[in-house]
Amino acid sequence: MSDRQLPASSAAKTALRDQVLAGRRRRSLLALGEDARATAEHLLATPEVRRAATVAAYVSIGGEPGTSFLLDALAATGRRVLLPRLLADGDLDWGTWRGDGSLVRARMGLLEPVDSLGVDAIATADVVLVPGLAVSATGMRLGRGGGSYDRALARVPVGTWTCVLLGDDEVGLDVPSEPHDRAVLAAATPSGITRF
């Protein structure tokens, strides 16, 4: 199906994805590292993360906002960290992060935990940190288009703090939404935390 045959919201999402990904490709490795550290420091200072026993997060790849400093800091403070495992049907299983040695290479360039806790393990997290490409002023998150995180977020109990990690210029954009899309409660960027 070409973009001309896609519903208007799907075509608009594709255009916004292309725009954000082009911007991410222009960021230097130095800037990505500095931004990752600043974002992690803001997250670690939030009351939600400070009181969380279990945090669902992810291992960043490519030009995504970096998570390695964040994962190390969460583990150093004794938190249980859950990481996703992409299943063949696009859904997300979850495993436990125990340092870089507990990760294996997976399809699509992902690093995933070796253990499997099941798709419902995300419901045990006190905080859920998700990747994204953009977020609207109301918390509507734009992902890569596979729907994996929308399915996972549907399993998260109401009231659980959900936060997308983004660049400063990726917050407050006009994100088209469809009925299956799930909003988040906050965005973490190098400049701070935005709550919706």
Side-chain angles (χ1 to χ4, degrees):
M1 184 182 282
S2 74
D3 284 349
R4 278 175 277 207
Q5 297 168 317
L6 293 173
S9 62
S10 293
K13 283 182 176 183
T14 299
L16 184 55
R17 281 186 190 103
D18 290 346
Q19 175 188 340
V20 172
L21 289 170
R24 285 186 175 182
R25 284 190 291 273
R26 290 191 291 270
R27 291 188 180 135
S28 71
L29 287 177
L30 178 61
L32 285 172
E34 291 171 349
D35 288 352
R37 183 173 289 276
T39 300
E41 288 171 357
H42 292 301
L43 278 166
L44 295 166
T46 65
E48 293 87 356
V49 173
R50 282 197 320 261
R51 68 176 172 249
T54 301
V55 176
Y58 63 97
V59 177
S60 58
I61 59 169
E64 289 180 331
T67 58
S68 60
F69 178 80
L70 175 64
L71 294 175
D72 288 340
L74 288 169
T77 56
R79 280 158 184 87
R80 178 177 180 235
V81 179
L82 303 179
L83 296 177
R85 297 167 36 100
L86 184 62
L87 299 173
D89 66 358
D91 208 344
L92 296 177
D93 182 6
W94 297 86
T96 309
W97 186 74
R98 294 181 178 91
D100 291 338
S102 67
L103 301 175
V104 294
R105 292 221 172 265
R107 62 190 174 110
M108 297 174 31
L110 300 173
L111 289 172
E112 299 178 341
V114 294
D115 64 332
S116 170
L117 302 173
V119 296
D120 292 323
I122 192 172
T124 67
D126 304 303
V127 166
V128 177
L129 306 176
V130 298
L133 295 173
V135 70
S136 73
T138 60
M140 193 54 62
R141 175 190 151 275
L142 177 70
R144 295 236 180 208
S148 300
Y149 274 92
D150 289 318
R151 281 183 258 179
L153 287 170
R155 297 182 182 103
V156 174
V158 172
T160 302
W161 199 60
T162 55
C163 181
V164 61
L165 280 62
L166 296 170
D168 290 320
D169 58 344
E170 298 167 352
V171 177
L173 301 182
D174 185 18
V175 174
S177 64
E178 298 174 75
H180 67 271
D181 292 330
R182 301 291 175 168
V184 293
L185 297 177
T189 70
S191 295
I193 306 295
T194 303
R195 296 175 185 273
F196 306 110

